Amino acid sequence: KKASVNSFLNYLRKRHMIDENPMYRIVKPSSKYEVAINPEFTLSRSEIEVFKSTLEDFSMQAKAFGLLSLSTGGRAKLIAALKWSEIDLKNRIIRTRQDFSGRPVKLYFSEEVADVIQDLKLIRASEGIGGTYVFCTKVRGKAKRIGVSTLRGYIAEVGRTMGKKGLSSNMLRNTN
């Protein structure tokens, strides 16, 4: 739906195939007013670069979550519940049925994100953490899915480190 289209248009913009994402000029059918996202709740291009470089100082899991959130525009809850079987690294597509309405969702991500996800997968294998979920940790010898609040906490900590208090996964979702 809108998030998937937005994700695809962000992908085209990042590949310099389009100059801007036209999704931000769409008028809601139920409203006479243009939908505008408050710039205070997004990251500028320079802040995106700072965000990416700051992620280098965090765990591979935090880096994967941050870049995946930024690249796809997916909801934090959906990304937190991702399963390895839903990710197609070759075509850089996530196919899941986990949006709030139960309908299929397709999210596209960049090569950079594909590399980070592949690295995360290799780290998981070397640490002996199997499991179904992408974002998990080892508890009492078993893989346990990490909660969305923990992953959101990673983003907040990255924000504090880069000097952007109040950074949230929603800000990454709204950033084009």
Side-chain angles (χ1 to χ4, degrees):
K1 298 202 331 174
K2 182 183 175 194
S4 295
V5 172
N6 189 33
S7 174
F8 179 68
L9 291 170
N10 283 337
Y11 169 80
L12 292 177
R13 186 188 58 74
K14 287 176 185 176
R15 292 282 189 191
H16 305 289
M17 295 176 172
I18 59 175
D19 291 330
E20 67 174 331
N21 184 340
M23 289 294 290
Y24 298 107
R25 291 182 279 156
I26 293 178
V27 177
K28 287 183 181 178
S30 61
S31 173
K32 296 178 186 175
Y33 305 102
E34 207 172 297
V35 175
I37 295 173
N38 186 339
E40 185 180 319
F41 301 115
T42 64
L43 296 177
S44 67
R45 288 181 191 227
S46 62
E47 287 174 322
I48 289 171
E49 295 309 315
V50 172
F51 175 77
K52 286 180 177 182
S53 66
T54 303
L55 277 173
E56 295 297 326
D57 299 331
F58 284 80
S59 69
M60 186 58 72
Q61 184 154 261
K63 184 177 179 181
F65 180 74
L67 291 177
L68 201 53
S69 296
L70 185 65
S71 181
T72 65
R75 295 182 184 279
K77 190 174 181 180
L78 182 138
I79 292 172
L82 275 179
K83 297 177 180 176
W84 288 112
S85 61
E86 297 170 334
I87 299 176
D88 178 354
L89 286 171
K90 182 181 176 193
N91 296 310
R92 299 190 319 268
I93 299 173
I94 295 169
R95 290 182 181 92
T96 182
R97 296 188 54 84
Q98 294 185 10
D99 85 339
F100 59 90
S101 66
R103 287 180 267 191
V105 174
K106 245 188 208 182
L107 300 172
Y108 300 88
F109 53 91
S110 67
E111 273 184 58
E112 175 186 23
V113 174
D115 293 341
V116 169
I117 292 172
Q118 185 63 43
D119 291 346
L120 180 63
K121 196 172 193 176
L122 293 173
I123 289 170
R124 291 275 187 268
S126 71
E127 292 175 345
I129 302 175
T132 307
Y133 294 98
V134 174
F135 299 103
C136 62
T137 190
K138 200 171 193 175
V139 177
R140 295 185 200 112
K142 293 184 180 180
K144 181 181 177 202
R145 188 178 124 194
I146 289 181
V148 69
S149 61
T150 302
L151 295 168
R152 285 180 174 150
Y154 290 157
I155 301 304
E157 185 60 32
V158 171
R160 284 189 290 278
T161 303
M162 65 184 265
K164 180 123 176 132
K165 290 182 181 177
L167 182 65
S168 69
S169 53
N170 280 342
M171 289 175 87
L172 301 179
R173 180 175 163 74
N174 294 329
T175 298
N176 62 1

